[in-house]
Structures are given as C-alpha cells and as structure tokens.
Amino acid sequence: MGHPFPIREIARQAGLSEATVDRVLNGRGGVRESTAREVQQAIADLDRQRTQVRLVGRTFMIDIVMQTPERFSTAVRAALEAELPSLHPAVVRSRFHFRETGPAPELTRILDRIARRGSQGVILKAPDVPEVTAAVGRLAEAGIPVVTLVTDLPATARLAYVGIDNRAAGATAAYLMGQWLGERPGNVLTSLSSGFFRNEEEREMGFRSAMRTRHPDRTLVEIAEGHGLDATQYDLVRAALERDPAIRAVYSIGGGNNATLRAFEDLGRECAVFVAHDLDHDNTRLLREHRLSAVLHHDLRQDMREACHIVMRAHGALPPAGPTLPSAIQVVTPYNMPPQATS
C-alpha cells in the first residue's frame, strides 16, 4: 500500500493506534477487515487533503458524521475540501463517517468512539431520535462542539445549526407547485426519506401548510421510509401510483429521484411538475435533461465554511459572532444552473 504519509499521520486521520496502522500497512494480520478499510480510507483522505497536512499552523481535526445517501455525502465532502484553503491560516483536517442507512445504535457507536478518542468538533447530519440526542450530550460533556448540518437536533446540546429554513423551503416548493400546475387537475406525491429527520418533517409541514392555504382542493399523497435509495424508493412510488391514478406531480423531500421517475415511466404516467432538493450529481443531470422542474438548493461550500468557523470560534480561534442565519434558498431551473453544476 504505497503512500507518502508517516504512520502517525495515518493513525491520527483514522483514529487508530500507530501499532494498528503499522500492522495493516505491513500485512501482519490480526486486524479486522473493517479496520484495514479505515486505514485505506485515511490514506485516501490524506491524499485529498495533502496541502493541509503540510501546512504549519493551528490544526483542527473535525469529524463529519452523516446518515445520508452517497450522492449527498459526496457533495458535502467535495464542498468541505474545496473550502479548506479559505480557512488559512488555520489548518482544518477532516475525518469522514458516512452511512446511507442503518439502526440508530450504529450511529451512536460512531459518536461515542469520537467522544472517547477526542476531536476538535463534529459536523453532524443524523435522525432526531433519543439515542442520537444522548450521544450528542456525551460529546458535549467531553468538550467536543457539535454543529448540525442540513437537519437540526434542537433538543440536544449541539452548538449551532447550519442550513436552510426548511419550513420556508417547503412553502417555496408549494408556491412553485401551485404556479406550475395551475388549474390542471391532479394530486401531488410528497416523498420523504424518513420521518425521523427533522428537516424533512419541517419541509413537509411547510409544504402542506402553504398548499392548504393556497390550494385547499389539491390532494397530497405522502410516502416515506425510502431512505433516498433507488431500490426502496421505486417500490414505494410505484405502489402509490398504482393506488392513486390521479397523481401527476411530485415534491421530493428526501431524494431517490431516479427511481421516482422510473416508476412513472414504467407505468406510462406523466409527471407534470417535479420539485426536488439539492444539486447533487443525480439532480444536476436530471435538471439538465429537463426531467425535474426545479431544484431547491443551498450553497454547501458556504455551509461547510460556516460550520468550520463555528467550531473554530468554540476554541477561541475566531472572535465571537452573532447568531447563525439560515442559508439562502436558491430556486434552480434548467436555465439558471450555477457554473459548477453545468460542467
């Protein structure tokens, strides 16, 4: 396993002992396969963060913990790593802990491991469940600041939330939906990845409230627990379409949009209006192909920069600032896609 990094740097990046890393690198055995993968991932992360590793300055090691589909975690990783040079003279190093789905105890084990080994901060996207609330409390007790990203955990000891006003985003989606459907008949499918993510719940509430006020005769049909994954999402959408032949529009709160469109196509159904969230690689392609009507987007690079600044302020490395304001909601259509999304 060729690499230019000292064992101590790999061990720090992976959160493992130098002895364990040495055993993995030299193939001495006695190491679990999952541990070997952590070492390989640490080397890959160090390679991407190579300029940060070589800088001299105050270093902040931050853990990014997310339960989210791969397409969104990839976008978050790219946004953070693109912002690292802007944080100089401080040096921010990042360890990533991504999973698409799974029971809450697996997520809390990751958070507890971070609390035991130490970290300068945690940026967290997680479901709002009691196990996670308790784990965030243990991180706070260990002196590790936690910033929630995209979806909040307001009942926890987290330091701040970074992201959009999700109720406002849902209401924006309702406004667009009403404008584009006009007087045409048809029901609207609302799709959540999980009812345990507060951001999705708030988007749905904002959407439902605005639709009830502006379009009280329009029926909303909800599906949930597809986890934003194509395999599960397809079955849920297809079943909903078969039950309700009047569905002709979609507000996708939790993703899985490739599968949603495929279900419409397989049943020979038209999706007249489709509003989604986030310019990940799937939605960028679908928007460019005019298969989505609009994407509600926010600047992930700005969000990651703000999250890092909050962690740095918690350690006294930046002067205090006022409350964190919600990120701006951008309505992106095929005709105003940002330059980085059109390449």
Side-chain angles (χ1 to χ4, degrees):
M1 191 185 300
H3 61 85
F5 308 108
I7 286 178
R8 67 178 180 277
E9 286 292 345
I10 300 171
R12 186 181 185 199
Q13 186 72 29
L16 300 168
S17 70
E18 292 184 24
T20 298
V21 172
D22 183 69
R23 284 200 301 274
V24 172
L25 294 179
N26 292 287
R28 294 200 176 96
V31 179
R32 292 193 301 271
E33 184 179 344
S34 60
T35 302
R37 286 197 299 269
E38 289 178 5
V39 172
Q40 293 164 2
Q41 184 60 56
I43 292 172
D45 289 342
L46 284 169
D47 192 56
R48 282 194 306 274
Q49 301 172 41
R50 188 185 297 263
T51 57
Q52 297 292 102
V53 174
R54 292 175 177 171
L55 289 172
V56 176
R58 185 167 181 182
T59 299
F60 297 86
M61 181 65 80
I62 296 178
D63 290 89
I64 295 85
V65 183
M66 302 183 68
Q67 180 171 312
T68 189
E70 179 273 336
R71 59 182 175 271
F72 188 70
S73 62
T74 297
V76 168
R77 184 198 294 266
L80 174 59
E81 292 180 345
E83 281 301 304
L84 292 179
S86 74
L87 300 172
H88 298 168
V91 177
V92 174
R93 300 266 302 281
S94 48
R95 294 183 291 228
F96 300 96
H97 315 268
F98 296 152
R99 41 176 255 161
E100 291 197 307
T101 186
E106 291 183 7
L107 190 58
T108 58
R109 277 195 290 273
I110 294 172
L111 297 175
D112 286 340
R113 181 181 172 191
I114 293 169
R116 288 192 300 270
R117 77 182 180 199
S119 177
Q120 274 71 57
V122 172
I123 299 174
L124 177 63
K125 178 184 182 293
D128 190 359
V129 295
E131 298 94 327
V132 172
T133 298
V136 172
R138 292 189 287 273
L139 285 165
E141 290 170 2
I144 299 173
V146 176
V147 179
T148 52
L149 176 72
V150 178
T151 183
D152 199 10
L153 301 169
T156 68
R158 60 95 170 119
L159 193 60
Y161 161 71
V162 173
I164 60 174
D165 179 331
N166 286 294
R167 286 193 186 231
T172 301
Y175 175 79
L176 296 173
M177 187 69 67
Q179 290 291 106
W180 286 334
L181 278 179
E183 299 303 317
R184 291 178 289 175
N187 299 338
V188 179
L189 182 70
T190 61
S191 170
L192 291 80
S193 73
S194 173
F196 293 108
F197 285 97
R198 181 172 288 268
N199 66 325
E200 296 192 18
E201 179 184 48
E202 291 178 343
R203 291 173 186 177
E204 193 276 338
M205 292 170 66
F207 184 80
R208 187 174 294 275
S209 176
M211 289 294 288
R212 187 166 53 241
T213 300
R214 298 176 60 87
H215 309 283
D217 297 329
R218 187 80 68 181
T219 299
L220 306 183
V221 180
E222 182 181 318
I223 59 172
E225 306 310 317
H227 303 290
L229 304 177
D230 285 348
T232 47
Q233 182 73 6
Y234 178 86
D235 292 338
L236 288 170
V237 175
R238 181 166 183 140
L241 294 176
E242 289 173 341
R243 287 192 304 268
D244 188 341
I247 294 173
R248 59 179 289 122
V250 174
Y251 174 36
S252 174
I253 299 171
N257 300 326
N258 279 319
T260 298
L261 287 165
R262 191 169 75 251
F264 272 87
E265 291 165 357
D266 288 352
L267 292 174
R269 298 272 290 275
E270 177 199 17
C271 184
V273 180
F274 197 134
V275 179
H277 280 269
D278 302 315
L279 276 179
D280 55 41
H281 54 76
D282 281 357
N283 285 346
T284 296
R285 176 180 55 80
L286 294 173
L287 194 61
R288 188 184 300 119
E289 295 171 355
H290 292 243
R291 299 175 71 196
L292 300 180
S293 307
V295 171
L296 302 182
H297 183 60
H298 52 109
D299 188 340
L300 273 177
R301 287 186 57 168
Q302 177 181 320
D303 287 351
M304 298 309 294
R305 181 171 64 251
E306 178 62 20
C308 290
H309 283 169
I310 291 168
V311 170
M312 293 162 68
R313 288 189 197 104
H315 292 281
L318 288 176
T324 303
L325 298 176
S327 305
I329 302 168
Q330 305 171 20
V331 178
V332 183
T333 72
Y335 301 101
N336 70 327
M337 295 174 69
Q340 65 269 25
T342 58
S343 59

